[in-house]
Amino acid sequence: MSWQPQIQKCPEAVDSTGWFGLIAGLPGTGKTFMLRTVPNLGRTLALNLENGFRSVKDLTDLDVINVEDSKHFERVLGWLEGGQVGQYDLIYLDSITELADMTFREAKVSDNRHRYMEAKQRTLAMITRLRRLRLSVVATCGVKRNSETGLLQVLAPGQELPAYVPHQFDFVAATRTRETDKGTQYALQFKPGGGWDFVKARDPHGVLGEMEAPDLRALFSKLEPTHPTEGVKNASN
């Protein structure tokens, strides 16, 4: 019998892929802390590249893989692609910045121009594989200020990768903080502006405000009518 492709109606094909989101921000603005707000912690896998999970050490239900290098990361991807996705609703990757740095450090070419090129190609290829997993993925990344434009940009090696990374994701948010009489307030910004135009912060379906609470459970609930997934449905149970 000849091979037959799997054909689905468009809504089913889209819904089965999950959300693909990027949370970008400066250190200390709550990127890792957002693990406390995932819809179903027991069905979440965190990929720890930065060894920065001390602030969420008490999350005893959370599965974590400490990623050693980019080759290890690729093996984890292969494991997930090989049928392990079904036990999870969400992958939380901390962070894209460290993944890109790993590929740059481990590049086999000697001159920097080709190292940047190899880092860009390998990082984008791994992001694409993440995107194709049939579950939701939320990744974090650091930011830095561009010395020429004065704008904040994704923290990644080279000049091209920072521009490419935000365009790979369904939604992009910048973590924001402000000091008030009641202490530090945290938020997610979904509209470009205020120096954050680099992020291409966006809400693809127009259901999110310019600023939202840093709560993935609430975020997925707002997005649910436009793109239901099993993980998002669990958030409302």
Side-chain angles (χ1 to χ4, degrees), residues 20-122:
F20 197 53
L22 182 68
I23 308 295
L26 295 164
T29 54
K31 298 188 298 296
T32 304
F33 192 82
M34 284 186 64
L35 271 167
R36 298 182 180 278
T37 72
V38 299
N40 191 337
L41 197 62
R43 290 184 57 83
T44 298
L45 175 64
L47 303 182
N48 179 20
L49 281 69
E50 294 195 350
N51 294 317
F53 279 12
R54 290 179 178 83
S55 62
V56 293
K57 184 180 177 180
D58 60 309
L59 300 181
T60 56
D61 291 337
L62 178 66
D63 286 355
V64 177
I65 295 177
N66 291 323
V67 178
E68 300 168 2
D69 52 36
S70 64
K71 289 293 185 182
H72 186 195
F73 186 81
E74 289 181 316
R75 289 196 294 272
V76 171
L77 281 177
W79 175 73
L80 290 167
E81 293 163 339
Q84 300 303 317
V85 163
Q87 62 182 302
Y88 297 109
D89 295 329
L90 174 71
I91 302 293
Y92 198 90
L93 169 61
D94 188 32
S95 68
I96 291 291
T97 297
E98 182 58 27
L99 179 62
D101 286 345
M102 283 178 174
T103 62
F104 180 76
R105 291 194 303 265
E106 298 161 11
K108 296 180 179 179
V109 292
S110 57
D111 65 285
N112 275 346
R113 185 172 69 87
H114 287 94
R115 287 169 69 88
Y116 287 129
M117 184 179 301
E118 182 175 324
K120 169 192 164 185
Q121 292 172 341
R122 287 194 62 214

Side-chain angles (χ1 to χ4, degrees), residues 201-221:
R202 62 188 181 276
D203 156 24
H205 298 287
V207 297
L208 303 174
E210 179 177 348
M211 293 288 184
E212 293 283 348
D215 186 328
L216 289 175
R217 185 180 294 103
L219 177 63
F220 284 157
S221 293

